[in-house]
């Protein structure tokens, strides 16, 4: 499937920003199941491109003059293959999967969460069934409620409050899996729904199946394994390491953010 994707991020500030630096992870992953046909990221200043230690393409730019608005536009075409059973093709990762085992500030867990996911260690159940069952349980426990959380809210908070969005579903999944020593990583990207015109950025989880030596993609928000409708942008231990745009600034007062995503299938 070929997709045309456009992602526009616009910041506005109540007071002039004196200086800002931004790290942009808006370049799709390239591997055996996903290929960039063409892609551009437009920023208000010259970019420096590099790879972070998770293998993501990171564009960094800084604005040294006063500004009250800042925007980043990424667009292009990506070709995505359908995954067999949700598994990514086996590749030689630069990082040991165990890197994704320890909890982070956003994916901490308590005894209740550990008990909630205790069945994930039952080797009598196929690995993909265990993971998908956990995704369903998380989606039922944390009701999808737009605007109910912020990027600073943790898995513990979402689990206890019982509401959140795709980012929270992913953090709770990660916390539950890491509570049992199972490597799992956060994925940022897009989910293509042919029945809607306006899309959003999305998040899901990849879990390492040590018996197969492959990562299994699972989308708790949609209660499904990842097949062929997901475009992967970046991976990390949590949202912090895979956020599409993240930076710091001096000045600016209050910040407002608008994000617009359109995805179209191209024959």
């Amino acid at each position: 499937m070929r997709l045309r994707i456009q992602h526009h991020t616009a910041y506005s500030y109540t007071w002039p920003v004196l200086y800002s630096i931004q790290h942009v992870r808006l370049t799709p992953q390239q591997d055996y199941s996903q290929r960039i046909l063409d892609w551009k990221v437009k920023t208000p200043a010259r970019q420096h491109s590099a790879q972070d230690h998770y293998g993501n393409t990171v564009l960094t730019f800084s604005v040294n003059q006063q500004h009250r608005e800042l925007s980043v536009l990424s667009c292009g075409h990506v070709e995505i293959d359908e995954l067999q059973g949700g598994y990514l093709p086996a590749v030689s990762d630069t990082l040991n999967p165990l890197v994704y085992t320890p909890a982070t500030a956003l994916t901490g867990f308590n005894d209740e969460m550990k008990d909630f996911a205790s069945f994930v260690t039952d080797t009598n159940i196929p690995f993909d069934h265990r993971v998908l069952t956990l995704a369903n349980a998380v989606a039922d426990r944390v009701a999808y409620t737009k605007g109910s959380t912020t990027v600073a809210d943790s898995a513990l908070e979402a689990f206890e409050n019982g509401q959140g969005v795709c980012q929270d579903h992913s953090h709770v999944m990660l916390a539950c899996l890491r509570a049992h020593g199972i490597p799992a990583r956060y994925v940022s990207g897009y989910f293509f729904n042919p029945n809607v015109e306006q899309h959003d950025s999305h998040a899901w989880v990849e879990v390492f199946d040590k018996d197969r030596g492959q990562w299994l993609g699972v989308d708790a928000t949609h209660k499904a394994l990842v097949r062929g409708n997901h475009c992967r942008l970046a991976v990390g231990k949590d949202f912090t390491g895979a956020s599409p745009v993240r930076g710091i600034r001096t000045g600016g007062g209050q910040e407002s953010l608008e994000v617009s995503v359109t995805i179209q299938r191209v024959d």
Side-chain angles (χ1 to χ4, degrees):
M1 180 167 61
R2 294 185 178 187
L3 299 176
R4 183 186 184 278
I5 302 170
Q6 179 172 294
H7 184 148
H8 184 229
T9 304
Y11 294 93
S12 58
Y13 308 96
T14 55
W15 295 98
V17 176
L18 305 179
Y19 170 81
S20 66
I21 182 169
Q22 302 289 337
H23 303 288
V24 179
R25 292 175 176 83
L26 282 170
T27 303
Q29 300 269 327
Q30 290 221 78
D31 54 37
Y32 293 115
S33 62
Q34 181 173 291
R35 293 165 297 280
I36 296 176
L37 303 179
D38 61 85
W39 195 263
K40 292 182 179 180
V41 181
K42 298 180 180 179
T43 56
R46 186 177 179 181
Q47 313 160 4
H48 170 72
S49 179
Q51 264 199 349
D52 65 15
H53 49 288
Y54 300 118
N56 306 313
T57 298
V58 183
L59 303 179
T60 302
F61 69 92
S62 60
V63 181
N64 300 305
Q65 58 189 20
Q66 290 190 17
H67 55 284
R68 296 184 65 162
E69 295 180 344
L70 187 148
S71 67
V72 177
L73 176 66
S74 61
C75 59
H77 295 82
V78 181
E79 188 173 61
I80 302 170
D81 296 335
E82 184 173 353
L83 299 179
Q84 298 300 315
Y87 282 94
L88 273 69
V91 295
S92 298
D93 287 325
T94 56
L95 288 179
N96 188 310
L98 293 178
V99 167
Y100 298 101
T101 304
T104 65
L106 291 175
T107 61
F109 55 86
N110 56 19
D111 289 340
E112 184 184 1
M113 295 175 76
K114 188 172 183 178
D115 291 342
F116 176 82
S118 60
F119 62 87
V120 297
T121 61
D122 187 350
T123 55
N124 293 315
I125 305 172
F127 185 81
D128 57 341
H129 290 192
R130 285 179 266 158
V131 171
L132 186 55
T133 299
L134 177 60
N136 278 268
V138 168
D140 289 339
R141 171 67 185 238
V142 181
Y144 187 90
T145 312
K146 200 165 186 177
S148 60
T149 56
T150 71
V151 295
D153 291 329
S154 68
L156 274 167
E157 292 170 312
F159 189 82
E160 292 174 354
N161 295 334
Q163 56 184 355
V165 292
C166 59
Q167 167 191 301
D168 303 292
H169 290 154
S170 299
H171 282 157
V172 173
M173 280 282 295
L174 292 174
C176 289
L177 290 161
R178 290 170 181 173
H180 294 280
I182 299 174
R185 61 192 183 190
Y186 185 102
V187 188
S188 65
Y190 310 104
F191 174 77
F192 172 61
N193 183 346
N195 299 317
V196 302
E197 292 185 5
Q198 187 65 44
H199 289 76
D200 294 302
S201 55
H202 194 48
W204 61 97
V205 167
E206 290 172 355
V207 192
F208 190 71
D209 185 340
K210 64 179 182 180
D211 292 331
R212 294 183 54 148
Q214 290 175 263
W215 290 95
L216 174 68
V218 59
D219 184 339
T221 303
H222 293 103
K223 296 184 175 182
L225 297 176
V226 172
R227 301 290 185 174
N229 282 40
H230 291 73
C231 175
R232 303 165 71 246
L233 280 177
V235 300
K237 293 181 180 179
D238 55 28
F239 169 81
T240 305
S243 58
V245 182
R246 187 175 181 85
I248 57 174
R249 59 185 168 89
T250 301
Q254 292 186 341
E255 176 184 274
S256 298
L257 170 64
E258 289 188 9
V259 177
S260 172
V261 177
T262 57
I263 308 175
Q264 299 171 317
R265 183 166 184 172
V266 181
D267 294 329

